[in-house]
Structures are given as C-alpha cells and as structure tokens.
Amino acid sequence: MEMEVLNLTAVGPAGPAFAAQVGAEAGTNAFSCYQCGKCSAGCPLSYAMDYQPRQIMRLVQLGLKDEALKSSTIWLCASCATCTTRCPREVQIAAVMDTLRAMARREGYPYKERSVAAFHRAFLNGVASGGRAYELGMILGYKLSTFEMFKDIDLGLTWLRQGKLKLLPERIKGSASVRDIFEKVRKLEQEEVARQREGRPAAHEGMEGHS
Amino acid sequence: MKYAYYPGCSLHSTATEYDATTRTVCQTLGVELEEIPDWNCCGATSAHATNHLLSLALPARDLAKAEQMGLDVVAPCAACYNRMAQTIHETKDNEVLRGRVSAVIGADYEGTAKAKSLLEVLAADVGPKVVEAKVQKPLKGLRVAAYYGCLLVRPPAVTGWDDAENPQSMDKLMTALGAETVDWSHKTECCGASLTVSRTDIVLKLTRDILDAAKAAGADALVCACPMCQANLDGRQGAVEKTYKTNYHLPVFYFTQLMSLAFGIEPYKLGFARHSIDPRELLHTKEIA
Amino acid sequence: MRRVGVFVCWCGSNIAGTVDIEQVKAAAAKMPNVAYVEDNKYTCSEPGQAAIQKAIKEQKLDRVVVAACSPRMHENTFRRTVGGAGLNPYLLEIANIREHCSWVHPDKVAGTRKAVDLVRRAVYKVAKNVPLQRASIDVTKRALIIGGGIAGIQAALDIADAGQPVVVVEKTPSIGGHMAQLDKTFPTLDCSACILTPKMVDAAQNQNITLMTWSEVEKVDGYIGNFTVTIRKKARHVDTTKCTGCGICWSKCPAKVSSEFDLGIGKRKAIYVPFPQAIPNKPVIDEKNCIFFKTGKCKACQMFCPTGSISFDQKDELVEEKFGAIIVATGYEQWDPSPYGEYGYGRYKDVITGLEFERLVNASGPTEGKIKRPSDGKLPKDVVIIQCVGSRDEAKGIPYCSKTCCMYSAKHAILLEEKIHAHSYVFYMDVRTPGKGYEEFYKRATEEHHATYIRGRVSRVYQKGDKLVCLGEDTLLGKKVEVEADLVILASAMVHQNGASKLAQTLGISYDQNEFYTEAHAKLRPVETNTAGIFLAGACQGPKDIPETVAQAGAAASKVISLLSKPKLETEPLVAQVNEAICSGCLWCKPICPYKAIDGKVVKERIAGGKTIERPVAAVNASLCQGCGACTVACRTGAMNVLGFTNEHILAEVDALCL
C-alpha cells in the first residue's frame, strides 16, 4: 500500500456516488457498514487477501474505486456468504464483491488475481459454446491462458482414469439460445459502459432494491 | 411428490455417482424426478463473478422450462441450487428485473417455480421417519461428520430452510440411517471450491482445516451434498496430506450414497471406485459392506 | 452488664466464602457483654430481620451488633429493625466484615481473624452507646432554583405545579439558557425554540413562580428547611414595571457590540434583549458598552422610550429571601477550543464551534438560518466536523466524554445535507449513541444523508486558498487522508459553568476535579448533594443532553416537593456536641467546620467564691452539623464530641483491637 495522503475531497461527489452505485448494483446499502470487522473475522479467505472485506467496504464508502477494484480481495472472495449471513447491518458483502468483480472486468481494470479471472473466463467460454460446463476444455483453456501447464496434472489424469472428466463436451440442443443469452448480456453491458462513460443517467434497470 | 430434476453439469461429469444414487434414492422414496429437457449450466460462481444479469439469466432459462412443466425444481448440487434460489429471490418482487431476464433468455420467466436442494427435499419434505422405514442395512458403528459447506444454507435470506450456523437436516438423515454423527466445528466453513483450479494453494489450506476438524471430532468419514465439496475434500485429500504432512484417510461420501447403501443397494452400484479415498475398506471394517 | 446480641451474616457466599462463620460466632460468644450469637444466610432479608427482632425480645437484648456489609448499605435498615423491636435505633453497631474483610482478603484464615477483630470492635463500642433522639425543625415552604435554563425552568414548573412557591434566579437578562440558542434537537429534529418557548412563557405566567433575571446568588446561610439567601439584583437600568418591551430603545441605541447569545457571530446593542423570544422581554443596559456610561453622553434610549422606563442611576440591589430547599441548575459552558493551535480556532474565521454553528443554522439567528460561512458568506459544500475537541484529551482539554457531541455532530451533518446539500466528513474516535432513538439517528446520518464518518482525530487544519485543509488518518483503513473543507465545525466539549466552584463554596456543596457538582451517590442519590436540602439538576452535575436534563430536573423537583410537603423535618442525632464545662472558647473548631455549623456564644457561670462570670464557648447548630467530626479533632480540650462517636467510643474500639 502506498503511503501517500488520500485526498477525500478530490474524490468529491464521486465518493458517495460510487458507494451508492455499488449498493444499487449489489442490492444493498453500502453506507450501512459500520466497520465492525465481523465479516473479515469470519472470512475463511481473508488471510490471503490484500484488503480485508471490511476494508473493501470502507474503500467503497470513501469512493476509492481504484483501490477497491485493483484489490486481490474481490477475486479471492469465494462467495461463501459467511459475511452476508453474519453482518449486523444487513450489508450483503458477498454481493458487493460480485458487483466489484463485474465492475472491474467491464471497466477493464487489471486483475490482481489473473488466474482467478482466467478460470471464470474459461469456465464461461465452455458454457457459452455448448450450454454446459466442459471441465476438460475449461482446464485446457485455463492452462493456455495462465501458462500453468503442469499444475494439477496428477489429479486431472486420475479423474480422467476414473471417468470424472469427459473427453468431449456435452452440447445441448438449445446451445444457440444459451449463446444468445451471453450475446445479449454482452451488448447490454457495452451499452451500460458507454452510458457511464458519457455520464448519461441510468435507464431504469430494475436492479435497485433486489436483495 | 414430483419434481423437475436439474442434475447440473458436475453430475454429468465428476459426480456421476451422485446423479445415479440420487435417482436410486428418489425412486426408493417415491420421489418422482423428471429431468428438465435440454437444461443448461447455471453459470455458478463464474457467472455471478462476471455479470449480474448473466448470473440470473442462466438459471432462469432452466427455471422457465420447469415452469412449463408445472413443477418445482430439485437440484442435488449445492451451487446450482443456490444460483436458482438466488435468481428466484432477486426477481420475486421485481417485475422490471424479471422482464429484463425474460428478454435476455428469449422466453417468459414468471418466477412461479420454486427451487429446492435435494437435501431439503429428502430431509424436510420426505423426512427422516419415512427414510428410516426404508432402511434395510443400518449403518451401525459408522461415525460421520455431516458437511454442509456454504451454499446449501447461506445466505439465509435466500436459502432459509435449515439453520445457517448449525444445520441439522443431514445429521438427522444420517441418524435415520443408523449412523452416528459428530458435533463438529467446520460444518459450514467454505472449502473454496470456486478457487480450486486457480488458487489451489488456498483450497488446500481450507480443505486441510475442514479435514482437521472432522478428524479431531472423531469422524470416520465425511458426508456431503455438493459435488464441488466432494471433489475438494476427496480429490484433493492426497495433496493436502502431502503438503501439510498429515494423515487423514477420511472417505467423503455423498449423502445419497450412504442412503442407497442403507436401503440395501449393492455397494458396487454406488460408484465407490470413483473416489480418491476408497471408502470400501472403512465400510468393510465396520461390517457395513 | 449489657446484653449484646451479635448477628453474623453470610451474605450468601460473599462473606461465608472467605470468613469462617462458625469461628466468628464462637469468638463472639466469648466477648464481654455478649449474651446471644446467631448467624443468618442473609441478615438483611425479611426472615433475617425478624430473627433479630425475635432475639431482642426473647433474649432480652439491650444492644445489637450486626456483622455484615458496609453500614452505608444497611445501617438504616437495621436501625429500623432494632427500633421495631422497641430498642432505641442507635443502640446498634455494624461490623463490616464484607467490604472491609471478605471482599479484600482471599486468605480465609486471615480473613476470619480480621472478622473476629471487627466484631470485637463493634461489641466494645456498642456497650458505650446511649439512646439518641432525633430532633425536629420547621420548613420554609419555598424553593430557590439557581439557573433559568431548561433544567431550572422544568424544575420550577414541576414544583409550582405541586402548589409550592419557587424563585428562579438567572444571571443573564433572560431565562432559556443554552437550549434557546439551539436550532434543532436530536434525535427528533424538532425545533428547539418551538418546544422551549412555551415552557418559558408558562414559567413567566405561573403564579407560583417568581423569575429574577439579571440576578445572582451572593450568599447562602442556614440549613435544610431554613436557608437564608442573599440575591444580588443587578442594575438593569430599565424599570420592568413600566417597560412594554416595544424595542424602540435598542433600535435607537448607537452602541453595537458582539452578541454573547450569538457567540460573536451576530451583534447586539448596549441596551438589549438577548434574543427575540426572551423572557422577560425587557432590555438591560450593558454598562461596559453603553456610551453614556463610558462618556457621560448619549441617553438616546431614554429620550426615545415612550414609557419613561430608563433610569441611569439604578444601582445593584441586595435582597434577602428565605427558602426551604435549593436546586442548583447552573448548566455548562462550551469549552473554548483556542488551546488547539493546530485547528486554528480564532485564527481561521471558518473554523467554528458546534454552538456557533447552532446560531448559524438557526432561523432566528444572525444569518436567518442561511449557513453562510463567516469569512465570505459563501455556502459551504464540504464541511469537516471534528468530534472530541477538548473532550477525552488530558493534554489540552478535559479527561471526560462530553456525551452530547456525537449526537449533535450527527445532527449537524444531517442539517448540512438537508438544507444546502453540503457533504460532511465527521472525524470521530468512537460514536457513542446510548439514548433512545440515538443509534438510529446516527444511522440516518450515514445511510440517508451519506455523511462520511472517518475514524481518527484530525491532526491539523491549515488554510489553502479559500479552503481549510484537514489532515487526518482513517485509522480503519490505515491511511492518511485529507479533506479540503469550506467550513470546519469543532464539536467542542461541555465544561463547568464559569464560577462553578465559587458558587459551590457559597452553597457549601462539593464539586469534582472538573468543577462539576458532586451528587450524594453516583447511582442511588443522583440529584442530591451531600448538603441536605440542596439538589442538582442538569449539566452543572456533568455533561447532559436535553432529555436527561429534563428528567433530572423533574427528579430534583420531586425531591424538593416531598421535602417541602413535610410539616417538620427530623434531624440526624449523630451531631457534634460541646461539653461547655471544659470548652475553652478558643473557637478553633469554628473555621474548621465545613458546614458553618459552629459559632461562639457566651455562657454565664458562677465560679468559686460565688462570682458570676461570662465566658465564650463554642455552640453547634445541630441542624447544620453533618457529624463529620472535624471539630472534635481540632478541639484541644476534648470538649467537642460527635454523638455516637465520642472519644470514649473510639477509645473503646482501640482497646478492643489492641489490648
């Protein structure tokens, strides 16, 4: 962490606006967090994170978007929702992590945990092409993008022998309709990114208030 | 009792034994399963880590099919169940969002079908009493640690059918089978499944913590209701032992495997050979199989 | 031979856990005069007390020793028990074998030995006890309240409502106090004036209430039920019986000075009422700033006054009044944050205190409620609120928490956002909201009004262009942060009223190291002082907010009402007594007495040879004496004794322990 001074007024109205946006997308109130640390204390992954989940909430509250989106935390969160379950202020921290990951990806932030992001991409590529997860293809795709060629070779071979990994993907009949879902979502996301870049107000997304 | 059956991708690959024993158990208990035709992947962690709308749309396509079947969905995989329940939860009182989801999947999604985990159906809807009545070979002397993991019971606003901190449904089922369950500390701790490929180091540590706790509580084996948990706890147990210089040798069952066994199904039909920690030795020692 | 009964209490395991009760009983049985010994699990319980009464009757006991907890806890209980069985209540002694013994000695052997010693001491002493009688005195049915803020007003209304006359002495020209300065009140945000002014009007119109504003208490004599108080009515230079409060005088007055009520943010004239809703709505002339008093010329007010109410030769007047009870409700002052050079209060115009902000945001204030910052009148966009300024700071301020700042800071953040969409950055160390609806209020500030709360003290404020840069650390993030603020509000501490200690000395009540008045018991006697007949209400006892102040004022009023409703008052007989035969009349005791209970008098005496002489001796006013015993120590001839604790008693105790 750099030790420079953070100028909070330089963040300006973007401060509360960022917290409000994250809250709206995650369906929770990011301002509610009172920094008790119960989330971090219960998080099984926090030992490996650069910012504790509590600190991520703090960064969001202060509008320190870059710090939050460049953190390893958002990628190491395993979505187990222990934090959400125990939060005394009913902040859906796990949903906030989802929101931040999605935001980091669509706004082109560099991934602090490249391998995690690569896994998600490889996994979804499989789903997008055949409609179902294709483990072997996913693992190969992942290995190609991360150059972790020899990792997990043992287990992979064992599973192949046990018949746990299929050599060929299962392709569903409606795979085109699944591909279509990905395509539509991608388009909507591009529109949203453009809208934000141009500072136009959000079309009503119906995302607020879900919880 | 009839459900739209959503096996999910794992049950067609790494966890075919879970699929097979699910069908066996349901048949024995009179739970009729009709597989959702041409179902697609729920997207699991990767979708919701990527795009919120995508994470709702993928399960919604399956739920919309179930709606057409006029049935509620049962999913054996904890992750699939959780994504479906989450989709229903978020769209329930949000017509705008439901409209968006329908537009993306190109089908009407009304949100009328419920989603249940297989464990909920067997433990709550069918119930331990009915299960007990079907037991032919009680699992006497077997001490198991029931491991629920995260997605079956969290977050409670979405799941809500069992206690989020100290769930009991699987324990009760195991007791009904004649097994003994241990009271232990890591019932609902996360195994880190979504990081299993990308950050194996983390998963080994989390898995070690869980195996340690189960061993310390005196369990002979773990029993779970999630293909990811099983893959980590069983498939990676050897690596954990090597990395941390420990020795557990704890078989990890699907709860449906133990149910089938107690219902008198021949052990060779239960896929034990596909386990990394072969449970047959333990079952033999306990004179169960 | 006496017949002393000793009753040893277990106090459950509190005593019995570390003191061997059987051994104490056995030892007591062998002590002189002891006729009966008994133990009880809880002597203070109903069966425990019944056992004492039964033993007194059946064993014909004439003295009782209870070996139990501190006499502060149950001495009165057991006096009633003994009295109920027909013995004089003062033929009782308590041996404290709990606080002085079992609670402080983990070693059972040593603890038991000490318990036996303490019981022996009490047995020796009780043998010397004689029956004592309570006396009764008259009560003046009239209360004095010092201070006309919300505490004084509420207490006055409550006492008046019970039909008892009450006088409120207020040192400023109007009643209302600090509450009149506030804009909105937490946690409901109702307007302070809207809920205060009706009470002020009620007080002014109540037949039983006399308001003496622009007046101060000068001297207090007497004792509970019978106080004689000298009040200085400061020269107002306005005849309040003629004045109609029309306001022509202050509109014509040419002398403009900074207004105390507006904390320097606004101006007033030399003849003024402090604020529009003042009660009484009659002005005073401020001699220090009046041009006539300074130069001998002007008199504009007098010239224009349509009722001829102005008189420049009016003088201060001293009046003496009698009261049966006194409530001190003198309130607090806001701490002056000048010692914080690093925050630049006084140097930077836009660094203001919380109370100053109240005037700034108040619709009837100098800016008519527009939050114009003092330097250039601009509306601030970013505001830094610094909590704990002075509070919890032993280096520059005061050690305690001022209790109200967290809530009024949250209020300020809400008002700033609500009124002018300004964003507040609140630097805090803890947010303390232990009142009904308070946590919810704070939550509103963060969730609905998006105030940014930053945990950490601001280190420094400095000017940069037209901004005030505040440097702090977000200690939760572990990062240094800075905020470029347009306005900085210092949530300055609540401290004692100026001259609090002087008034305490006038009244003969005690105060703590922070000059807040001390209550008789922190938990069980929160509105009483250690001086009988004098009570406390509001922030003069410690920092308080309005609800708490009003509650305490009501409690003090109820104490006064019950005191004034008694036809006569009983006095405690454990007071000093002079043996005039051996008193040398040196009166060393007189200045030592903290309650002013000793005076000299002259006695006539026939001496050898039949001649009658006059000689001075000390005389104790039993109503004033609190039985502290300071005089007995000072007395060189041993003429002074506290009844129940005579020299003979004390020697008996010493013998019991040492022989």
mmCIF file of all heavy atoms in Angstrom, chain C residues 44 67 115 120 160 227 274 310 322 351 385 448 456 526 532 573 605:
data_model
loop_
_atom_site.group_PDB
_atom_site.id
_atom_site.type_symbol
_atom_site.label_atom_id
_atom_site.label_comp_id
_atom_site.label_asym_id
_atom_site.label_seq_id
_atom_site.Cartn_x
_atom_site.Cartn_y
_atom_site.Cartn_z
ATOM 1 N N CYS C 44 -30.136 -9.223 56.043
ATOM 2 C CA CYS C 44 -30.969 -8.093 55.612
ATOM 3 C C CYS C 44 -32.328 -8.549 55.086
ATOM 4 O O CYS C 44 -33.218 -7.749 54.881
ATOM 5 C CB CYS C 44 -30.245 -7.264 54.548
ATOM 6 S SG CYS C 44 -29.881 -8.201 53.054
ATOM 7 N N ALA C 67 -22.876 -8.146 62.114
ATOM 8 C CA ALA C 67 -21.625 -8.301 61.370
ATOM 9 C C ALA C 67 -22.016 -8.671 59.942
ATOM 10 O O ALA C 67 -22.405 -9.808 59.662
ATOM 11 C CB ALA C 67 -20.757 -9.380 61.993
ATOM 12 N N ALA C 115 -12.241 -10.629 60.762
ATOM 13 C CA ALA C 115 -13.672 -10.531 61.040
ATOM 14 C C ALA C 115 -13.926 -10.567 62.545
ATOM 15 O O ALA C 115 -14.744 -9.805 63.070
ATOM 16 C CB ALA C 115 -14.419 -11.662 60.334
ATOM 17 N N ARG C 120 -15.307 -7.712 67.508
ATOM 18 C CA ARG C 120 -14.940 -7.323 68.875
ATOM 19 C C ARG C 120 -14.991 -5.792 69.027
ATOM 20 O O ARG C 120 -15.505 -5.260 69.983
ATOM 21 C CB ARG C 120 -13.545 -7.846 69.242
ATOM 22 C CG ARG C 120 -13.235 -7.612 70.736
ATOM 23 C CD ARG C 120 -11.837 -8.013 71.167
ATOM 24 N NE ARG C 120 -11.471 -9.359 70.747
ATOM 25 C CZ ARG C 120 -10.565 -9.620 69.818
ATOM 26 N NH1 ARG C 120 -9.930 -8.624 69.206
ATOM 27 N NH2 ARG C 120 -10.293 -10.856 69.489
ATOM 28 N N ALA C 160 -43.903 24.333 41.119
ATOM 29 C CA ALA C 160 -45.052 25.238 41.130
ATOM 30 C C ALA C 160 -46.345 24.465 40.928
ATOM 31 O O ALA C 160 -47.378 24.766 41.533
ATOM 32 C CB ALA C 160 -44.886 26.290 40.041
ATOM 33 N N PHE C 227 -33.088 27.985 54.686
ATOM 34 C CA PHE C 227 -31.968 28.703 54.085
ATOM 35 C C PHE C 227 -32.287 30.193 54.025
ATOM 36 O O PHE C 227 -33.426 30.578 53.741
ATOM 37 C CB PHE C 227 -31.700 28.229 52.655
ATOM 38 C CG PHE C 227 -31.193 26.818 52.582
ATOM 39 C CD1 PHE C 227 -32.029 25.780 52.179
ATOM 40 C CD2 PHE C 227 -29.875 26.525 52.906
ATOM 41 C CE1 PHE C 227 -31.570 24.486 52.096
ATOM 42 C CE2 PHE C 227 -29.407 25.214 52.826
ATOM 43 C CZ PHE C 227 -30.256 24.191 52.424
ATOM 44 N N PRO C 274 -31.484 39.638 24.806
ATOM 45 C CA PRO C 274 -30.536 38.759 24.121
ATOM 46 C C PRO C 274 -31.096 38.086 22.872
ATOM 47 O O PRO C 274 -30.356 37.809 21.936
ATOM 48 C CB PRO C 274 -30.158 37.730 25.186
ATOM 49 C CG PRO C 274 -31.135 37.877 26.289
ATOM 50 C CD PRO C 274 -31.710 39.246 26.207
ATOM 51 N N ILE C 310 -36.388 54.127 31.404
ATOM 52 C CA ILE C 310 -34.926 54.066 31.517
ATOM 53 C C ILE C 310 -34.451 54.945 32.669
ATOM 54 O O ILE C 310 -34.871 56.089 32.801
ATOM 55 C CB ILE C 310 -34.268 54.551 30.213
ATOM 56 C CG1 ILE C 310 -34.934 53.925 29.000
ATOM 57 C CG2 ILE C 310 -32.746 54.350 30.267
ATOM 58 C CD1 ILE C 310 -34.476 52.589 28.578
ATOM 59 N N LYS C 322 -35.955 33.802 52.139
ATOM 60 C CA LYS C 322 -35.889 32.545 52.886
ATOM 61 C C LYS C 322 -36.414 31.399 52.014
ATOM 62 O O LYS C 322 -37.399 31.555 51.297
ATOM 63 C CB LYS C 322 -36.720 32.642 54.162
ATOM 64 C CG LYS C 322 -36.140 33.576 55.197
ATOM 65 C CD LYS C 322 -36.484 33.079 56.610
ATOM 66 C CE LYS C 322 -35.653 33.757 57.687
ATOM 67 N NZ LYS C 322 -34.313 33.203 57.816
ATOM 68 N N VAL C 351 -13.332 28.268 10.961
ATOM 69 C CA VAL C 351 -13.276 27.205 11.972
ATOM 70 C C VAL C 351 -14.149 27.674 13.129
ATOM 71 O O VAL C 351 -13.822 28.653 13.802
ATOM 72 C CB VAL C 351 -11.832 26.957 12.440
ATOM 73 C CG1 VAL C 351 -11.812 25.891 13.546
ATOM 74 C CG2 VAL C 351 -10.953 26.524 11.279
ATOM 75 N N ILE C 385 -16.384 18.007 10.317
ATOM 76 C CA ILE C 385 -16.812 18.103 11.706
ATOM 77 C C ILE C 385 -15.806 17.302 12.531
ATOM 78 O O ILE C 385 -15.576 16.124 12.241
ATOM 79 C CB ILE C 385 -18.235 17.538 11.890
ATOM 80 C CG1 ILE C 385 -19.237 18.365 11.075
ATOM 81 C CG2 ILE C 385 -18.625 17.529 13.367
ATOM 82 C CD1 ILE C 385 -20.653 17.800 11.052
ATOM 83 N N GLU C 448 -28.795 7.781 5.071
ATOM 84 C CA GLU C 448 -29.683 8.610 4.259
ATOM 85 C C GLU C 448 -29.017 9.904 3.825
ATOM 86 O O GLU C 448 -29.320 10.440 2.769
ATOM 87 C CB GLU C 448 -30.971 8.925 5.035
ATOM 88 C CG GLU C 448 -31.841 7.695 5.231
ATOM 89 C CD GLU C 448 -33.010 7.973 6.166
ATOM 90 O OE1 GLU C 448 -33.493 9.119 6.188
ATOM 91 O OE2 GLU C 448 -33.408 7.042 6.887
ATOM 92 N N GLY C 456 -10.704 8.734 13.448
ATOM 93 C CA GLY C 456 -9.391 9.321 13.676
ATOM 94 C C GLY C 456 -9.532 10.783 14.054
ATOM 95 O O GLY C 456 -10.525 11.423 13.709
ATOM 96 N N PRO C 526 -28.671 10.458 42.783
ATOM 97 C CA PRO C 526 -28.076 11.249 41.702
ATOM 98 C C PRO C 526 -28.462 12.720 41.692
ATOM 99 O O PRO C 526 -27.797 13.512 41.040
ATOM 100 C CB PRO C 526 -28.586 10.556 40.445
ATOM 101 C CG PRO C 526 -29.876 9.940 40.859
ATOM 102 C CD PRO C 526 -29.717 9.553 42.293
ATOM 103 N N ALA C 532 -27.670 18.568 52.961
ATOM 104 C CA ALA C 532 -29.110 18.317 52.998
ATOM 105 C C ALA C 532 -29.870 19.546 52.518
ATOM 106 O O ALA C 532 -29.537 20.676 52.865
ATOM 107 C CB ALA C 532 -29.526 17.956 54.424
ATOM 108 N N PRO C 573 -29.374 12.566 64.820
ATOM 109 C CA PRO C 573 -28.789 12.919 66.125
ATOM 110 C C PRO C 573 -27.276 12.725 66.206
ATOM 111 O O PRO C 573 -26.680 13.112 67.215
ATOM 112 C CB PRO C 573 -29.509 11.987 67.096
ATOM 113 C CG PRO C 573 -29.896 10.821 66.275
ATOM 114 C CD PRO C 573 -30.099 11.303 64.865
ATOM 115 N N GLU C 605 -21.554 31.916 84.260
ATOM 116 C CA GLU C 605 -21.143 30.792 85.104
ATOM 117 C C GLU C 605 -20.733 31.317 86.478
ATOM 118 O O GLU C 605 -20.056 32.344 86.600
ATOM 119 C CB GLU C 605 -19.943 30.125 84.418
ATOM 120 C CG GLU C 605 -19.497 28.838 85.007
ATOM 121 C CD GLU C 605 -18.431 28.235 84.105
ATOM 122 O OE1 GLU C 605 -17.268 28.625 84.243
ATOM 123 O OE2 GLU C 605 -18.781 27.383 83.247
#
